[in-house]
Amino acid sequence: MQRDSSNKKRLHYGWVIFGCCFIMVMVALGFCSSPFSLYLPVVTEQLEIPRSVFSLTNSFRFIVVAVMNLLFGMLVKKISPRLMTACGFASLVVSLLIYSSAKNVVVFYVGGCFLGLGLAWTTTTMVGYFVEKWFTKSKGTIMGVILAANGIGAAISSQILTPMIYSSDKNGWRLSYRYTAIFILIVGAVIVFFLRDDPTDKNLEPMGKDAVAKTKRGTKWAGLSSKEAFSKPFTYFALFFVFLVGLALQGCTGSSTAHMKDVGFDPSVIANAISTHSLLLAAAKMLTGISYDKLGLRATMLICNTFSIGTFIVLWFMDTSRPLLPYLYSFFSAFGLPLETVMLPLIASDLFGQKDFSKLMGIFVSVNTMGYFVGTPVINLIYDKLGSYRTGYLASIMIMAIAAVGMQFVISAAHKQRVLIEMSMKFEEES
């Protein structure tokens, strides 16, 4: 009896897994992904590469992420997720070292492929796997907090890396990549050391086992199989609108800091604005999850879409005569970007339920990522042709408006389908 009491008081290893996932997202996304636009103007100017051509680096990354998300379910059954995480960190280090030695754009493309592999196995999808294995309740809150780590990491990295990237030393950006690689190697080794694939590895049950999950609607939505889902027209519209959101928002995040520099803002102001944005983003991801629980999918989508449209309007008017606009951008963008992170699993769950959730979520993440693949080079191609991002931002306002309205019709169609299925199931039970 004393032994059982001691075990109950002992910290559950699930919290160690939580900490590992939090730090993993913070360093992988915060230091390897978020700073991309900081490097954009410096690298393209020094190597004399058009921005649209250089931005294809992200396109190679995104296509690898999309493919890895589609294959994740199969790979995680054949390879230890802990080993996959180790390979993910190794790929991140390789990508950073490749970037640091690049002298032409093709080398950056190779680095982009390694970055995509690294992020696919150290961020959202992998974290989702560990949370699913180690926790049985409050998964949405836990995922929201973990994904918010990206904002914290980006806030820290922008302050640390910006002085190196924009230093008088022409190789400052190369040193920035190399120091980041060393940092990722050390942190990755520590995280992999503490990670465990499954609670049974520590002779434990998942945290919250036997707890009754409470939801806003009272019961979980059993849902549709993937085959049934793809027999419904609203599924294809949902995927199309998710693609448009990825296209527009990635074009924004991939060009915003370069746009601020282009219109004359000092790098220190840009760094402060991005740090502010990153911290707000961390809060926004958690608040988005709360909004979904309290208000539902329809209202939360409208809120995020409204902020996204506001983001592009602010970027359109960005000018040094309006010194507060970089910080206003930080606010609007932070509450719009959950559309391409926290909202994706919530959309899949709400529209299609639990039956084939993992598969359908992977498809939605992949399609959203394909939007990134298109959005980044398109917005930079507009810059190369017109000398400004403003036309791209105007187009993005219209794209986000279409996606916002369209998703409302998708939600209505999906919810009607849910009512029909639940009424049918109730009728069968009563019969």
Side-chain angles (χ1 to χ4, degrees):
M1 294 296 293
Q2 291 180 347
R3 185 178 179 181
D4 291 340
S5 175
S6 175
N7 285 337
K8 287 181 180 179
K9 292 180 180 179
R10 188 181 303 164
L11 179 71
H12 193 286
Y13 203 80
W15 291 117
V16 177
I17 301 300
F18 171 85
C20 287
C21 290
F22 185 91
I23 296 171
M24 182 163 66
V25 169
M26 184 176 74
V27 300
L29 287 175
F31 280 78
C32 299
S33 174
S34 298
F36 176 81
S37 59
L38 290 174
Y39 290 97
L40 178 64
V42 176
V43 175
T44 53
E45 181 179 342
Q46 185 179 129
L47 300 183
E48 299 181 346
I49 303 171
R51 291 188 184 183
S52 58
V53 175
F54 179 74
S55 66
L56 286 174
T57 300
N58 262 347
S59 296
F60 281 94
R61 159 195 160 185
F62 295 140
I63 194 66
V64 171
V65 171
V67 172
M68 289 299 105
N69 276 321
L70 288 175
L71 298 177
F72 182 83
M74 177 188 71
L75 290 172
V76 80
K77 292 177 181 178
K78 296 183 176 182
I79 308 173
S80 159
R82 188 183 181 197
L83 178 58
M84 288 176 68
T85 303
C87 292
F89 274 110
S91 295
L92 292 177
V93 172
V94 170
S95 72
L96 292 166
L97 293 177
I98 289 174
Y99 287 158
S100 73
S101 61
K103 294 183 179 177
N104 62 70
V105 76
V106 175
V107 178
F108 277 101
Y109 295 164
V110 175
C113 292
F114 277 99
L115 180 63
L117 178 60
L119 293 177
W121 288 357
T122 58
T123 56
T124 306
T125 312
M126 185 59 74
V127 165
Y129 177 88
F130 282 115
V131 170
E132 183 68 25
K133 287 290 183 180
W134 281 87
F135 299 89
T136 60
K137 64 176 183 179
S138 303
K139 293 180 184 178
T141 302
I142 291 167
M143 280 294 293
V145 172
I146 291 173
L147 292 178
N150 175 22
I152 297 172
I156 296 170
S157 69
S158 65
Q159 294 295 321
I160 295 173
L161 301 182
T162 299
M164 282 191 279
I165 295 170
Y166 290 95
S167 69
S168 57
D169 182 355
K170 66 177 183 179
N171 290 315
W173 61 271
R174 296 186 187 274
L175 291 174
S176 175
Y177 279 131
R178 288 167 189 162
Y179 285 132
T180 304
I182 295 170
F183 174 65
I184 295 297
L185 179 63
I186 294 170
V187 174
V190 173
I191 288 175
V192 172
F193 177 80
F194 284 105
L195 275 179
R196 295 296 182 272
D197 294 335
D198 192 272
T200 56
D201 292 346
K202 300 290 288 185
N203 297 316
L204 294 170
E205 298 279 6
M207 282 188 68
K209 189 178 184 296
D210 300 326
V212 178
K214 295 181 180 180
T215 65
K216 181 175 179 286
R217 298 174 182 82
T219 58
K220 288 186 177 180
W221 159 222
L224 305 170
S225 67
S226 57
K227 183 177 180 180
E228 291 170 329
F230 282 100
S231 70
K232 311 298 180 184
F234 68 78
T235 302
Y236 297 94
F237 283 104
L239 289 169
F240 176 64
F241 296 133
V242 164
F243 171 83
L244 290 182
V245 166
L247 184 153
L249 290 182
Q250 192 60 38
C252 163
T253 57
S255 64
S256 57
T257 55
H259 178 59
M260 292 181 208
K261 184 175 184 295
D262 291 341
V263 300
F265 282 100
D266 187 85
S268 62
V269 173
I270 297 172
N272 289 335
I274 297 305
S275 295
T276 302
H277 166 267
S278 300
L279 294 174
L280 287 170
L281 181 60
K285 287 180 178 180
M286 290 183 277
L287 290 172
T288 297
I290 294 172
S291 173
Y292 173 78
D293 290 336
K294 299 293 184 181
L295 304 176
L297 181 65
R298 187 187 300 278
T300 305
M301 288 291 294
L302 275 176
I303 292 169
C304 291
N305 275 298
T306 300
F307 276 107
S308 296
I309 292 170
T311 300
F312 290 109
I313 293 173
V314 171
L315 286 170
W316 168 265
F317 285 106
M318 189 70 67
D319 187 87
T320 51
S321 64
R322 305 179 182 95
L324 294 181
L325 284 190
Y327 300 97
L328 190 61
Y329 157 80
S330 299
F331 177 76
F332 275 92
S333 178
F335 285 88
L337 285 177
L339 282 171
E340 60 179 20
T341 53
V342 177
M343 288 306 298
L344 293 177
L346 296 179
I347 290 170
S349 176
D350 197 286
L351 299 186
F352 305 107
Q354 298 298 311
K355 188 178 289 185
D356 252 349
F357 170 71
S358 296
K359 183 175 181 179
L360 289 166
M361 182 188 68
I363 293 171
F364 268 77
V365 172
S366 294
V367 170
N368 185 252
T369 305
M370 289 304 298
Y372 304 174
F373 175 83
V374 176
T376 302
V378 166
I379 195 77
N380 283 290
L381 180 62
I382 291 171
Y383 174 87
D384 288 343
K385 297 295 183 182
L386 303 178
S388 170
Y389 291 110
R390 295 187 194 278
T391 302
Y393 296 147
L394 181 62
S396 296
I397 292 171
M398 294 184 283
I399 289 171
M400 290 303 303
I402 292 169
V405 174
M407 276 302 297
Q408 295 302 306
F409 286 103
V410 166
I411 293 168
S412 295
H415 286 180
K416 287 179 182 177
Q417 183 67 41
R418 173 177 177 172
V419 170
L420 290 174
I421 291 174
E422 290 182 333
M423 287 179 63
S424 177
M425 292 174 64
K426 184 177 180 182
F427 178 77
E428 289 178 2
E429 289 175 359
E430 292 176 348
S431 300

